[in-house]
Amino acid sequence: MQTSETIHPDKVLQDQADQKVQRTVGTVKQADKIKPHTYLLKGEHADVMLQFHQHAVIRVQLVFGKEPQWFTTPAIVKEASEMRGTETELSESDTQFLIRCGSLTAVIEKAEYALSVFKEKDGESEIVYGPAQFRWEHEKTPTLYHPKNEMSHFYGLGEKTGFLDKKEEKYTMWNMDVYDPHVPSIENLYVSIPFLVHFEYNRPVCGTFLDNPGKSVFDMRSYKEHYAIEIESGVLDTYLICADSLKDMITQYTALTGRMPMPPKWSIGYHQSRYSYMNQEEVLEIARTFKAKNIPLDVIHLDIHYMDEYRVFTWDKTRFPDPKKMMEELEEMGVKIVTIVDPGVKKDPNYPVYQEGIEQDLFCRNLEGDLFLGDVWPGTSAFPDFTSPRVREWWGNKHAGLLADGVSGIWNDMNEPSVFHNDSKTMDMDVVHEYDGNRRTHKEIHNLYGYYMSKGTFDGMKEQMEGKRPFVLTRSAYAGVQRFAAVWTGDNRSFWEHLQLSIPMVLNLGMSGVAFTGPDIGGFAHATNAELLTRWTQVGALFPFCRNHSAIDTPYQEPWRFGEEVEAICKTYIDLRYQLLPYMYTLFQEASQTGLPVMRPLLLEFEQDEQVFNLCDQFMLGSSLMTAPILRPSTEHRTVYLPAGEWIDFWTGERFSGGQHIMVHAPLSKLPLFVKAGSIIPMKVDGKLQLQVYGLNGEGRYQGRLYEDDGQTYAYEQGKCQEVNVTAQESGSTLQLAFEQVQSGYQQPDALLQVVVRFTDSKPLSVAGLSELAAEDVPLNREGWFFDEQNHDLVIQMKQLPDSLQVHK
Ligand code: GLC
């Protein structure tokens, strides 16, 4: 706890007096091509390396030694690090060096180093980046300065508090177990993604990825005309990404740092967790209650009490006497188990995991060879050096027992790593990691510890799961973690403010390449209440990762703990998630292909609309659904911003034109939810796969997409998947639907497919080739069509998708 002493004048004024004279690269005397696509600019006080990558990516590194640092962190995928742009061409004038590569030209000022990048588009050359400079007091802590102005907006930076736009904010990249409330003044949490998107209205977008896993600071606050990126160790190694749009930016950034593989479908369902469900019987009882109450549930998480005194890879035989049988029983109810696995290995000479770690030299040590020991849940513990491939392999194999018992997924926690009673709250800075052969101190690569732990877990599980997709959930991470794990946002609290904050946090994680994320629904610490749990479950049902989790010593917060009304509302929205699963799964597949997030700020879909530059109490699911949840207590009304276009109330069919704010009434049972008119959304309703068509009012063209596969194996990589592009054209009294099968290697068994044209004015005259169904034929799943008078929906039932369909009105 801090006191007012923190702002004692002596301290503050001394800090200011400490400002010293700064150095710069100085004059640039020479530009040498040192490798294909790679230049070294020889400066007076330091050199700068420029390397041109694929598309519009330039690696820019400040070099103090003789040679650049060639290797990258594992965040950069191998293919991207090897891919180079088109031919480069160096020229010079009296005042500048110019390096051209494709549509980009890097311009370097000779008199005093400054780098600008211009991009050519439609014959015009526009500045995308710069003029940027380096400055430092000490070579170890250089800073990159880049101009900003009042039109500048900032996004990305991973898991941070605050609003969507990081304008006027300052953040530190240093993974930390933060049990303080996650308030705006918290500059770092569990995840560090040093990727900053600089966006200005109607201009090309520029992103900077700082590939440095030590401590760094992104400061958009302290200087009026600049933002600054400062490092505290290692090399100032950046990748500039010059993009045409924000979506293009995310796609390019994820080409560099990788994309999420398809997760198992069950992991996109509803998860229930608690620290902890204390024994086997309690776990079964939770699952049975979900069943009895008909609330969908895919996963229960087992927190630390399933282990024998918190020894990883063991079971507490008193609390969980027969885990295998428990999981078999759960499997019959359609429920999977995810177990927590922390990095700390209990120091216990009789514990095989500790013995092996010591015998095979797998734990972290300092240079002198002393074992690093720290306190976590099991007491004094050693920490595997996950930065070594040998250790990751050992750790991955250690999951065999849990998998054989029937565990389906692994939850990696405390992997910043969190260390109790240590001044640093983490590992000692002088631990030396193997780091895939590039030995570095903990200080230099701290932010990679959780990343490597998830990688070891994922790779090990994949190896052992005989073709099934692993699920790994992690608390700590670095850029690129999307290739191995989903991320939950750690120990939030049951505060309305934390419900609000979870939206921009997840949105910026998505804009930083991590699409599979979500907060603890209901809030982890502190006591939730009926209203908060209800509102949080409503909106949480639309988060990519959807898990209710609460801390030891807080009231239980499963959906039924606050009476029948709350239970019914929570059930409605968990049901809604399952109805939307075909759409969500399609979005997950899109994320795996393009990197675009599942949950998106409106900004991503409407980047020309200034109203949405910092809008984060509303968000989109893909490009068709938009929600504006209630985020305050005792509130039934709120304004909702509708961007350009036409919007349809998901519940009532009421139409609104965009470009306006509307007032909506949302009593406790209602989550305001809108569909962008002109969308086709795949859903599963009453066990039937539906393609729901939300038409425009009048003539127009609509589109949607459906992706399906077996949901659990990698067979989709061999084409065993179904991918359909659906388009609809409405003109006059005809609605013409077309179904383009991009992939047709998979079909849901015995699926009856329905095309539902929602909220249509009147019963159509005919549907070409299909007959109208009599009321008694509808439940028999016959092919044909009927008009649902009550909802004004036209429902067309088919056993197989045709190439096209024609509806006459
Ligand atoms: C940490 C995790 C939390 C977990 C607890 C006990 O606080 O963030 O989710 O329940 O440890 O394992």
Side-chain angles (χ1 to χ4, degrees):
M1 175 86 114
Q2 299 189 59
T3 65
S4 303
E5 196 191 347
T6 316
I7 46 170
H8 192 294
D10 289 355
K11 181 182 174 299
V12 176
L13 297 177
Q14 188 54 48
D15 282 355
Q16 283 168 8
D18 280 349
Q19 301 283 326
K20 298 213 181 75
V21 184
Q22 294 195 323
R23 272 255 147 110
T24 65
V25 171
T27 53
V28 184
K29 296 163 276 183
Q30 226 173 297
D32 295 338
K33 189 165 188 176
I34 50 171
K35 276 189 179 193
H37 298 96
T38 310
Y39 294 83
L40 193 65
L41 306 163
K42 299 288 234 176
E44 200 179 344
H45 305 297
D47 299 341
V48 180
M49 188 258 276
L50 253 61
Q51 187 171 62
F52 292 79
H53 282 244
Q54 86 284 16
H55 303 305
V57 178
I58 311 176
R59 183 179 183 185
V60 181
Q61 188 182 104
L62 179 63
V63 184
F64 286 116
K66 280 205 189 99
E67 265 216 78
Q69 174 179 285
W70 294 113
F71 72 88
T72 73
T73 74
I76 306 289
V77 292
K78 196 162 173 285
E79 308 82 69
S81 71
E82 283 167 0
M83 220 190 308
R84 299 285 177 260
T86 45
E87 278 314 300
T88 52
E89 191 191 304
L90 171 71
S91 60
E92 70 179 290
S93 69
D94 288 349
T95 56
Q96 296 172 328
F97 288 109
L98 291 97
I99 308 169
R100 263 179 88 97
C101 181
S103 61
L104 296 187
T105 305
V107 177
I108 300 103
E109 300 300 331
K110 287 181 174 174
E112 175 67 55
Y113 168 89
L115 169 70
S116 305
V117 178
F118 291 79
K119 190 169 184 176
E120 229 166 86
K121 205 181 165 193
D122 309 326
E124 303 270 311
S125 179
E126 239 185 315
I127 186 158
V128 199
Y129 179 83
Q133 290 192 310
F134 298 105
R135 272 182 236 152
W136 60 91
E137 283 158 19
H138 309 285
E139 288 188 357
K140 285 183 181 149
T141 57
T143 303
L144 167 72
Y145 291 86
H146 188 284
K148 67 166 187 183
N149 59 53
E150 47 308 340
M151 304 289 280
S152 298
H153 302 275
F154 297 97
Y155 307 103
L157 297 176
E159 184 190 66
K160 295 294 175 205
T161 57
F163 292 97
L164 179 69
D165 186 353
K166 299 310 187 192
K167 201 177 173 123
E168 311 299 337
E169 297 288 5
K170 183 178 173 188
Y171 294 108
T172 302
M173 298 293 162
W174 186 252
N175 294 349
M176 189 59 87
D177 173 1
V178 180
Y179 202 68
D180 292 320
H182 300 169
V183 294
S185 57
I186 297 279
E187 291 184 356
N188 50 322
L189 285 166
Y190 317 86
V191 172
S192 292
I193 305 185
F195 172 54
L196 179 72
V197 178
H198 182 195
F199 172 80
E200 285 176 52
Y201 175 71
N202 217 5
R203 300 234 319 104
V205 193
C206 190
T208 303
F209 172 53
L210 168 69
D211 193 20
N212 181 313
K215 190 181 276 185
S216 60
V217 177
F218 283 71
D219 187 354
M220 286 70 66
R221 180 190 298 154
S222 305
Y223 313 95
K224 194 160 176 284
E225 287 171 354
H226 292 95
Y227 64 86
I229 303 175
E230 180 181 358
I231 61 164
E232 287 203 2
S233 61
V235 174
L236 216 172
D237 195 7
T238 62
Y239 292 78
L240 312 183
I241 306 176
C242 307
D244 292 330
S245 66
L246 286 166
K247 281 191 175 174
D248 180 34
M249 172 62 63
I250 299 173
T251 297
Q252 290 204 50
Y253 169 72
T254 53
L256 198 63
T257 59
R259 297 178 182 136
M260 164 180 74
M262 280 308 284
K265 199 169 186 181
W266 57 262
S267 66
I268 305 174
Y270 179 78
H271 300 233
Q272 183 62 53
S273 183
R274 177 163 177 88
Y275 167 31
S276 301
Y277 291 126
M278 286 298 191
N279 55 55
Q280 189 166 314
E281 203 31 54
E282 189 179 12
V283 173
L284 286 165
E285 205 39 48
I286 291 287
R288 287 185 202 120
T289 311
F290 271 93
K291 272 263 133 206
K293 292 178 176 294
N294 205 12
I295 304 173
L297 170 72
D298 263 297
V299 194
I300 294 180
H301 288 238
L302 299 188
D303 209 319
I304 51 174
H305 289 95
Y306 80 89
M307 293 179 274
D308 173 19
E309 294 181 330
Y310 317 125
R311 288 175 182 84
V312 285
F313 307 117
T314 65
W315 289 95
D316 180 318
K317 286 291 178 195
T318 314
R319 292 186 167 120
F320 291 83
D322 197 346
K324 212 170 179 162
K325 187 155 160 281
M326 173 189 79
M327 283 182 269
E328 277 162 16
E329 226 174 303
L330 288 168
E331 192 67 51
E332 274 165 34
M333 292 187 263
V335 177
K336 308 233 179 283
I337 284 289
V338 167
T339 48
I340 199 166
V341 175
D342 293 347
V345 174
K346 187 175 177 66
K347 176 174 154 59
D348 169 359
N350 294 316
Y351 169 35
V353 182
Y354 183 72
Q355 288 166 351
E356 280 174 37
I358 295 292
E359 282 159 18
Q360 298 173 33
D361 192 16
L362 305 168
F363 295 133
C364 292
R365 296 174 181 277
N366 64 15
L367 189 62
E368 292 73 28
D370 301 332
L371 194 63
F372 172 75
L373 292 170
D375 269 11
V376 262
W377 307 125
T380 307
S381 303
F383 294 80
D385 184 6
F386 297 115
T387 71
S388 147
R390 190 172 63 96
V391 178
R392 289 197 296 275
E393 195 182 338
W394 167 73
W395 187 260
N397 289 336
K398 281 271 145 292
H399 292 78
L402 290 172
L403 294 173
D405 287 336
V407 168
S408 300
I410 297 293
W411 165 20
N412 285 161
D413 187 23
M414 307 290 279
N415 49 352
E416 294 72 28
S418 175
V419 180
F420 306 152
H421 320 305
N422 210 22
D423 287 347
S424 69
K425 308 272 184 252
T426 184
M427 202 171 267
D428 286 347
M429 295 302 118
D430 65 351
V431 160
V432 179
H433 294 287
E434 219 169 280
Y435 193 27
D436 290 335
N438 299 308
R439 291 167 71 87
R440 288 289 183 279
T441 60
H442 188 72
K443 180 177 174 181
E444 289 166 293
I445 63 163
H446 167 77
N447 292 335
L448 276 172
Y449 193 78
Y451 169 101
Y452 271 126
M453 181 187 188
S454 311
K455 177 172 164 52
T457 306
F458 179 87
D459 290 347
M461 287 174 78
K462 191 167 173 188
E463 186 86 25
Q464 296 166 68
M465 284 176 67
E466 294 167 349
K468 292 229 172 117
R469 306 173 200 168
F471 172 71
V472 178
L473 178 67
T474 184
R475 187 169 77 174
S476 185
Y478 181 68
V481 74
Q482 62 270 16
R483 309 203 298 273
F484 317 109
V487 171
W488 101 101
T489 57
D491 295 344
N492 63 2
R493 301 194 173 205
S494 300
F495 296 167
W496 288 90
E497 291 81 352
H498 279 193
L499 163 59
Q500 290 157 21
L501 166 108
S502 64
I503 299 174
M505 194 179 273
V506 167
L507 293 176
N508 269 317
L509 272 162
M511 290 188 64
S512 312
V514 193
F516 198 2
T517 63
D520 283 345
I521 293 172
F524 176 69
H526 197 63
T528 199
N529 60 58
E531 193 184 1
L532 180 58
L533 180 69
T534 311
R535 291 301 195 188
W536 211 326
T537 307
Q538 281 177 342
V539 60
L542 301 184
F543 276 71
F545 177 62
C546 177
R547 182 184 74 161
N548 172 320
H549 181 50
S550 56
I552 197 165
D553 226 13
T554 62
Y556 277 70
Q557 63 183 38
E558 293 74 18
W560 56 84
R561 301 286 183 186
F562 292 90
E564 283 175 16
E565 189 196 0
V566 172
E567 179 185 325
I569 302 172
C570 291
K571 174 173 157 45
T572 302
Y573 287 90
I574 299 171
D575 279 338
L576 175 69
R577 181 179 184 87
Y578 280 79
Q579 288 174 4
L580 286 170
L581 228 48
Y583 179 56
M584 284 205 149
Y585 196 63
T586 303
L587 291 173
F588 270 80
Q589 193 261 350
E590 188 181 341
S592 76
Q593 297 298 304
T594 64
L596 289 180
V598 173
M599 176 168 153
R600 302 176 185 171
L602 274 72
L603 170 77
L604 217 50
E605 296 294 325
F606 302 94
E607 71 172 54
Q608 298 303 329
D609 183 347
E610 287 183 67
Q611 296 281 345
V612 302
F613 288 175
N614 201 9
L615 189 68
C616 51
D617 61 354
Q618 300 178 212
F619 64 85
M620 301 207 56
L621 205 52
S623 50
S624 298
L625 274 178
M626 190 267 286
T627 184
I630 300 287
L631 304 169
R632 300 176 65 84
S634 316
T635 303
E636 288 201 351
H637 291 86
R638 63 160 290 171
T639 52
V640 176
Y641 179 65
L642 301 174
E646 196 184 324
W647 297 84
I648 302 171
D649 184 317
F650 179 82
W651 307 107
T652 64
E654 192 179 348
R655 286 173 181 274
F656 301 91
S657 41
Q660 60 163 336
H661 287 87
I662 58 167
M663 177 67 84
V664 298
H665 181 215
L668 192 61
S669 61
K670 187 172 167 189
L671 172 77
L673 188 58
F674 299 86
V675 184
K676 194 172 85 189
S679 300
I680 301 171
I681 302 182
M683 289 183 66
K684 192 145 201 174
V685 181
D686 298 333
K688 291 175 195 123
L689 183 64
Q690 296 187 339
L691 292 170
Q692 297 200 348
V693 181
Y694 292 82
L696 287 156
N697 197 7
E699 310 216 325
R701 197 177 150 76
Y702 328 139
Q703 52 191 355
R705 210 174 144 256
L706 167 72
Y707 173 84
E708 286 188 301
D709 59 27
D710 66 17
Q712 46 176 340
T713 74
Y714 290 90
Y716 68 90
E717 288 175 352
Q718 265 69 54
K720 295 223 170 346
C721 57
Q722 157 152 270
E723 204 181 325
V724 188
N725 286 332
V726 193
T727 49
Q729 180 78 45
E730 188 146 18
S731 51
S733 56
T734 314
L735 174 68
Q736 176 82 36
L737 286 139
F739 307 91
E740 184 208 350
Q741 296 262 1
V742 184
Q743 294 272 7
S744 53
Y746 176 81
Q747 228 190 337
Q748 294 268 5
D750 307 324
L752 181 80
L753 196 93
Q754 295 184 327
V755 174
V756 182
V757 186
R758 299 221 58 198
F759 308 124
T760 48
D761 293 339
S762 55
K763 183 172 168 175
L765 296 173
S766 66
V767 177
L770 290 168
S771 48
E772 186 177 354
L773 292 169
E776 61 272 21
D777 287 338
V778 172
L780 300 176
N781 291 349
R782 297 241 158 91
E783 289 197 310
W785 64 273
F786 63 94
F787 188 64
D788 173 345
E789 300 275 354
Q790 203 185 342
N791 297 314
H792 274 240
D793 292 342
L794 162 65
V795 184
I796 306 165
Q797 301 199 144
M798 290 159 299
K799 296 259 188 281
Q800 273 204 321
L801 267 186
D803 290 340
S804 66
L805 257 183
Q806 229 178 45
V807 178
H808 299 287
K809 296 192 183 165

